Amino acid sequence: MNFMGNTKELLLVHPSMKPVSLTEAVNVMLPPQFYTLKKEALPLRYAYQAKKIAPSLFDGLLEAGSHYEYMVWKEDEAWVFLAYDIEKITAFLESKGFALEHVSKLFFAQQSVDLFDKPLFLGEHDALVSLDHIVVVVPRGALTQEDGSSLLFNNRFTPKKGIVLSGAYGSVLSLKQASMLAAIFILFALMFFVEGSRYSDDSETGEAKMQELISAYPALQSKYTRDSILTKYKAIDTAERKKREIVKMVSGMLFKGVTLSSLEIDAKSFKVHFTCKDAQVAKRLTLLATKNKLKTSAISGSHDLKIEGTL
Amino acid sequence: MTWKRYQNELIALIAFVFMLIAYGYKTTQVSSQAQGIAGAKHSVEEIQEVISLQKIWADTKTSKKVEKLQTLVPASKITWSNKNKKVTASYKNLTARELNTLVTKILNVPVEIEKLKIQKVASSYDVEFKCKW
């Protein structure tokens, strides 16, 4: 089983070919009609350097107004420069019935020059041959008898490096733009992940103080115990504070002319009896009680006031 | 094969979705951290409240503080009973000054007041006091 190799069918296209109807993806090899080739022995070390100078090498050789792209590779001591117009190629492929989404990769005949040890017939009139290690189209009539039958074209002609056509058509974004956007999004994603993981680390520090308290009071480790203690003492605290507030309020209501006759506080209620010297004092006491949100009731036959309430 | 037509957009979209997932992860972590901090803060406050309540209402020195309520007025004016952390006291013929001192002291002792009855009799006061702790 071939997991890594290219298993797609390789089709050699040429202007005189019949239209095709594809049902699955294929690779396409283009003859010299679709590219311009130049070989130069340049003191360059890397392909990207060669690609950078490629447009200047083809100055004046290419059709003006077309948009060319370049492919470079090294052959022995020389650099091979290849210029192609992707729009022209795709227009040709579409004219021959190729659905572009079915075209996986594009290759150039020059890439497989080593395999052209015999002529390869292109239709009835032309043939591809290798002359001085360059693949060229020649009329079949120019071939000698020695050349014999056509070279068998199959997948072994598939070079390693090809042009990915998908993405070069129909897309709003070019591959470069898509890659840049993807890189930005991934960068942000990584930042978010890092930030997120930092937040998850920080949340652990919030528990340090609790651990400190728990180690000082191990009995309070259990939430159940804490709740139980809290329920018990909070009820006591609330009730007792209220009792004490009542007593303080009552003592604050004693002024000249007012005497405390009795005060009674138990677990649930309280009762206070004030003796007032006259009606004016009683009125003032009533106002004071209202201010303290206590309800007073007068005792008939006297200026005395009574305050009752629940705790 | 139609997806191949939009391969570039797909690459950008997948990266964008990845970024959204990362953003979601960050947001979740931020909110869980906030929840964690709030939870820890609540627990700390709860523990501190339990400790302070225990310090007040389960103070081992309360018995001594209650005993001092006997010494505020002459012994002849007091009837005192202390059983199992429960005190029943009766004060008779207290002056206004003695009453003030006694009530102020009672209010500052961390006990559960079961009964506090102050009754004016002529110019003096009688006090009945029941508490537990």
Side-chain angles (χ1 to χ4, degrees):
Chain A
M1 287 178 81
N2 184 3
F3 291 108
M4 300 298 287
N6 198 336
T7 55
K8 291 186 183 83
E9 191 188 353
L10 180 68
L11 293 181
L12 178 66
V13 296
H14 52 90
S16 58
M17 71 184 287
K18 286 177 185 166
V20 293
S21 174
L22 298 174
T23 53
E24 54 184 33
V26 292
N27 290 326
V28 169
M29 180 163 273
L30 297 155
Q33 289 99 320
F34 296 98
Y35 60 81
T36 307
L37 189 79
K38 214 169 178 195
K39 271 188 183 183
E40 292 282 343
L42 295 171
L44 299 172
R45 199 166 172 188
Y46 302 107
Y48 77 90
Q49 293 171 317
K51 205 163 183 177
K52 229 173 180 179
I53 61 159
S56 59
L57 281 176
F58 289 97
D59 251 1
L61 291 176
L62 304 173
E63 280 177 41
S66 299
H67 180 256
Y68 284 92
E69 289 171 42
Y70 305 91
M71 186 187 239
V72 294
W73 70 92
K74 203 170 186 184
E75 240 180 49
D76 301 325
E77 291 306 305
W79 283 94
V80 180
F81 296 84
L82 196 146
Y84 59 91
D85 182 347
I86 196 76
E87 284 174 19
K88 195 174 156 187
I89 293 167
T90 52
F92 167 74
L93 291 173
E94 281 177 326
S95 73
K96 292 294 178 187
F98 283 86
L100 294 183
E101 60 265 32
H102 283 143
V103 178
S104 183
K105 275 186 177 178
L106 292 178
F107 301 103
F108 300 99
Q110 183 63 30
Q111 290 177 274
S112 304
V113 64
D114 294 334
L115 299 170
F116 286 88
D117 50 359
K118 279 171 69 178
L120 175 67
F121 297 157
L122 295 178
E124 291 179 3
H125 306 292
D126 298 324
L128 282 181
V129 293
S130 169
L131 290 177
D132 297 332
H133 217 64
I134 292 174
V135 177
V136 291
V137 181
V138 293
R140 279 177 68 171
L143 298 174
T144 59
Q145 287 293 326
E146 289 166 16
D147 292 326
S149 59
S150 172
L151 188 67
L152 180 68
F153 184 82
N154 53 26
N155 278 11
R156 73 191 171 96
F157 279 76
T158 310
K160 282 182 185 171
K161 191 179 156 193
I163 297 160
V164 181
L165 190 58
S166 52
Y169 62 91
S171 288
V172 177
L173 300 171
S174 70
L175 187 64
K176 199 175 174 183
Q177 288 171 324
S179 308
M180 275 180 71
L181 275 176
I184 292 167
F185 291 149
I186 288 169
L187 185 72
F188 270 92
L190 291 175
M191 279 162 59
F192 290 144
F193 272 123
V194 170
E195 208 178 337
S197 66
R198 278 182 59 196
Y199 273 110
S200 70
D201 292 343
D202 287 351
S203 63
E204 289 160 17
T205 57
E207 290 177 12
K209 195 173 182 185
M210 199 175 94
Q211 291 304 324
E212 194 184 313
L213 282 170
I214 283 173
S215 60
Y217 299 91
L220 300 179
Q221 198 162 4
S222 152
K223 170 99 174 106
Y224 180 78
T225 311
R226 290 203 299 266
D227 286 346
S228 161
I229 295 170
L230 205 61
T231 313
K232 182 186 168 188
Y233 289 120
K234 210 164 186 179
I236 294 171
D237 193 70
T238 311
E240 292 309 312
R241 279 180 196 277
K242 203 157 186 186
K243 287 173 195 171
R244 284 156 176 79
E245 268 174 37
I246 296 291
V247 176
K248 277 181 186 170
M249 248 188 261
V250 168
S251 72
M253 289 163 78
L254 295 172
F255 54 91
K256 200 175 178 185
V258 181
T259 318
L260 178 70
S261 290
S262 72
L263 176 138
E264 193 174 343
I265 292 176
D266 58 27
K268 290 179 180 173
S269 61
F270 67 93
K271 263 187 238 172
V272 192
H273 183 176
F274 292 104
T275 305
C276 300
K277 194 175 76 180
D278 52 39
Q280 206 176 351
V281 170
K283 197 180 173 186
R284 197 178 151 201
L285 185 63
T286 308
L287 281 172
L288 206 56
T290 313
K291 209 175 170 185
N292 287 326
K293 292 173 186 170
L294 296 170
K295 275 185 185 174
T296 53
S297 55
I299 295 171
S300 56
S302 68
H303 298 301
D304 290 6
L305 286 177
K306 203 166 73 175
I307 297 173
E308 282 179 312
T310 50
L311 292 169
Chain B
M1 293 301 287
T2 320
W3 69 269
K4 269 201 149 186
R5 184 178 284 268
Y6 301 104
Q7 183 176 298
N8 296 347
E9 284 80 0
L10 205 66
I11 291 168
L13 185 72
I14 290 167
F16 183 71
V17 170
F18 183 60
M19 185 186 76
L20 285 184
I21 292 168
Y23 182 73
Y25 168 75
K26 191 200 96 170
T27 314
T28 312
Q29 290 304 319
V30 170
S31 64
S32 74
Q33 189 215 32
Q35 278 178 359
I37 288 173
K41 197 180 167 191
H42 175 75
S43 298
V44 168
E45 283 171 357
E46 192 185 75
I47 293 173
Q48 283 174 335
E49 194 179 5
V50 169
I51 292 166
S52 62
L53 284 172
Q54 269 188 322
K55 271 186 183 169
I56 297 169
W57 301 108
D59 190 357
T60 48
K61 292 173 186 168
T62 304
S63 295
K64 280 184 185 172
K65 288 176 185 170
V66 173
E67 286 300 317
K68 281 186 182 172
L69 295 176
Q70 285 186 87
T71 60
L72 297 172
V73 291
S76 59
K77 292 182 177 181
I78 307 169
T79 315
W80 185 268
S81 160
N82 184 354
K83 281 180 188 171
N84 298 326
K85 294 189 174 180
K86 277 190 179 184
V87 159
T88 306
S90 179
Y91 298 82
K92 298 276 182 194
N93 302 319
L94 298 181
T95 62
R97 195 190 184 101
E98 285 170 338
L99 178 70
N100 275 339
T101 313
L102 177 67
V103 170
T104 309
K105 205 74 187 172
I106 286 172
L107 296 186
N108 289 323
V109 178
V111 288
E112 289 179 63
I113 299 170
E114 290 185 318
K115 187 179 181 183
L116 177 65
K117 189 176 177 183
I118 302 167
Q119 188 74 47
K120 190 168 190 270
V121 181
S123 61
S124 63
Y125 293 91
D126 291 350
V127 175
E128 281 180 51
F129 175 59
K130 273 188 187 178
C131 73
K132 63 176 183 177
W133 63 96

